[in-house]
Amino acid sequence: MGNSFALIADAVNSIGDVMSTLVVLIALHYAQRPADEEHPYGHTRAKGIAASNVAIVIIISALYVGWEAVQRLTSQHGIPPAWTLWIAGANIVIKEVLYHYNVRIGRRTGSAVIIASAWDHRSDALCSLAVLIGLATISFGGPQFIWADEVASLIVVTAIVWSGIRLFRSSASELMDLQADPEFVDQIRSVALSVKGIENVETLWVRKSGLEYFADIHIEVDQNLTVAEGHRIGHLVKDHLLSEFTRLRDVFVHLEPFPHSHGPAENNQC
């Protein structure tokens, strides 16, 4: 209606946010289903699968809008009316309010996910600001600045593509069992070593799946202990880690003898 391609690009940006949030919410609901015979590790990967597919849709949509904007750069079209400035300005206000609201909630709850979502709203507000500047340039500069609308839309398209790439990389990393942040891994290692009877943590793998984590830990215990005593210590480690870290979905504990030495043909993989 306003003959502004920059506003259309901003709309694609907004609908992309709605799609990604809605699909992730549905996927998280599905991911909470308990494990069954076909999915003994649960359904937590549903979020990663959904998010990666949404990211591809967002990127393709943005590239289509960008191609249309490039084609319009050399074509003559009407000047967007002045009221489109109010639409762009309202977008900035709404997205900035969403940014401050999410930051406040994220800091209160200590949720890095919500804070990341807040910064996504801030980047959206900056995109809307680019749209406003483009429309204002046309409004005050006249027909010779008609290209500013397409330039503003290309700025928004670039931001959408970058956001889609980040979403895809993040979700793909989860599907490829990327090791968790070193700080979180070190916290788990420290708690495990605090359990009486643990001599050393030989191996610790922590992978993210959805909003939760799975840990594989190899602990070294006195080689002279009975199997029953070693088994008891292993359960103590698992129970202690699950109680200390609510984000851990499950912990697999493997026992190694201490002191531990490997022969020339031996490896430490189980």
Side-chain angles (χ1 to χ4, degrees), residues 59-104:
I59 293 172
I60 292 175
S61 301
L63 292 176
Y64 175 76
V65 172
W67 175 248
E68 290 289 323
V70 170
Q71 289 184 317
R72 280 172 58 99
L73 277 171
T74 55
S75 64
Q76 293 295 322
H77 54 84
I79 297 177
W83 58 262
T84 56
L85 292 171
W86 292 99
I87 300 298
N91 284 341
I92 298 173
V93 173
I94 292 172
K95 292 171 181 178
E96 188 67 14
V97 168
L98 287 172
Y99 162 76
H100 287 285
Y101 175 77
N102 278 266
V103 163
R104 188 165 60 250

Side-chain angles (χ1 to χ4, degrees), residues 152-185:
S153 64
L154 288 175
I155 292 174
V156 176
V157 164
T158 302
I160 299 172
V161 171
W162 175 244
S163 178
I165 291 174
R166 284 193 305 151
L167 177 61
F168 182 81
R169 289 182 61 185
S170 174
S171 56
S173 294
E174 289 187 23
L175 295 177
M176 295 180 68
D177 290 337
L178 183 70
Q179 177 79 324
D181 294 334
E183 181 180 356
F184 185 48
V185 175

Side-chain angles (χ1 to χ4, degrees), residues 21 98-99 102-103 112-122 124:
T21 302
L98 287 172
Y99 162 76
N102 278 266
V103 163
V113 174
I114 296 179
I115 292 177
S117 176
W119 281 102
D120 185 50
H121 289 305
R122 169 58 65 83
D124 290 345

Side-chain angles (χ1 to χ4, degrees), residues 182-204:
E183 181 180 356
F184 185 48
V185 175
D186 289 341
Q187 290 174 356
I188 295 175
R189 186 189 307 274
S190 177
V191 171
L193 287 171
S194 68
V195 177
K196 186 177 180 180
I198 304 300
E199 303 292 344
N200 186 35
V201 173
E202 183 196 55
T203 303
L204 177 56

